[in-house]
């Protein structure tokens, strides 16, 4: 029974994601988290100001449940299925983080210096989070979907556009991690 209250192996998570994708494909549904933002904007009345938001939001109710389930699943994972011993970083990564001024995450997936409550007192961090959010929003709209939509749903449907987008996501992430991030925090 202890197994239920530990971080689950990637094989179980992968199997569950694949099962959900098979079900969605069977029912002819497209999956992607960023498309929910459009639905939520429509619900809040954005369709009165832009034709882009003039969609039938009721046909996307199921996808809003996916977002709620993801949020609930994240909460359960953080509060019941995680332990500091489940996250181990390469010692070289810890040295690089220390050189950039970040303490070891101590079992967390993100450093408190960037994502903790104290980071919201720093104008630099707030600006970085706002600009990053805008770039992610623009990028997912420009790419026709987000990483989850392209990497999980698009590639499972063998869509060439999704393969290109995922390659672009990874190249952009590598450039950010190895070149831009050190410039911002050195």
């Amino acid at each position: 029974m202890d197994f239920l209250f530990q971080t689950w192996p990637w094989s179980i998570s992968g199997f569950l994601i694949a099962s959900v994708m098979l079900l969605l494909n069977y029912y002819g549904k497209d999956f992607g988290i960023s498309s929910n933002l459009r639905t939520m904007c429509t619900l809040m009345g954005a369709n009165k100001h832009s034709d882009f938001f003039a969609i039938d939001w009721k046909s996307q109710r199921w996808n809003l449940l996916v977002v709620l389930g993801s949020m609930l699943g994240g909460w359960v994972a953080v509060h019941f299925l995680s332990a500091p011993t489940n996250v181990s970083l390469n010692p070289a990564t810890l040295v690089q983080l220390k050189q950039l001024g970040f303490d070891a995450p101590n079992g967390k997936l993100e450093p408190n210096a960037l994502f903790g409550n104290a980071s919201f007192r720093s104008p630099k961090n707030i600006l970085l989070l706002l600009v990053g959010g805008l770039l992610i929003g623009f990028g997912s709209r420009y790419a026709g979907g987000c990483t989850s939509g392209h990497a999980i749903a698009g590639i499972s449907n063998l869509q060439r556009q999704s393969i290109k987008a995922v390659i672009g996501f990874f190249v952009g992430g590598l450039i950010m991690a190895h070149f831009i991030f050190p410039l911002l925090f050195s």
Side-chain angles (χ1 to χ4, degrees), residues 56-79:
D56 177 23
W57 68 269
K58 291 180 182 178
S59 67
Q60 293 298 313
R61 283 186 287 207
W62 68 271
N63 213 358
L64 292 173
L65 287 176
V66 171
V67 171
L68 286 173
S70 297
M71 291 167 45
L72 179 62
W75 185 84
V76 167
V78 165
H79 291 89

Side-chain angles (χ1 to χ4, degrees), residues 37-173:
L37 180 59
R38 183 179 184 189
T39 304
M40 287 186 258
C41 288
T42 301
L43 279 168
M44 290 185 259
N47 56 337
K48 296 174 184 143
H49 305 287
S50 173
D51 289 339
F52 175 73
F53 297 106
I55 61 171
D56 177 23
W57 68 269
K58 291 180 182 178
S59 67
Q60 293 298 313
R61 283 186 287 207
W62 68 271
N63 213 358
L64 292 173
L65 287 176
V66 171
V67 171
L68 286 173
S70 297
M71 291 167 45
L72 179 62
W75 185 84
V76 167
V78 165
H79 291 89
F80 299 106
L81 301 175
S82 60
T85 57
N86 291 332
V87 178
S88 60
L89 296 177
N90 185 315
T93 301
L94 293 174
V95 169
Q96 289 176 339
L97 287 172
K98 190 76 168 167
Q99 289 171 347
L100 294 173
F102 295 105
D103 292 330
N106 294 327
K108 294 183 179 180
L109 295 177
E110 73 282 336
N112 281 334
L114 280 180
F115 300 102
N117 290 334
S119 70
F120 294 107
R121 291 187 211 109
S122 163
K124 177 183 174 182
N125 281 1
I126 291 171
L127 181 66
L128 285 172
L129 290 170
L130 286 173
V131 170
L134 287 171
L135 288 173
I136 288 171
F138 172 78
S140 65
R141 176 70 187 118
Y142 186 73
C146 60
T147 52
S148 61
H150 281 298
I152 298 171
I155 289 179
S156 69
N157 287 321
L158 302 176
Q159 294 177 0
R160 187 174 295 141
Q161 170 188 337
S162 293
I163 294 170
K164 291 176 186 177
V166 170
I167 290 170
F169 296 149
F170 275 95
V171 169

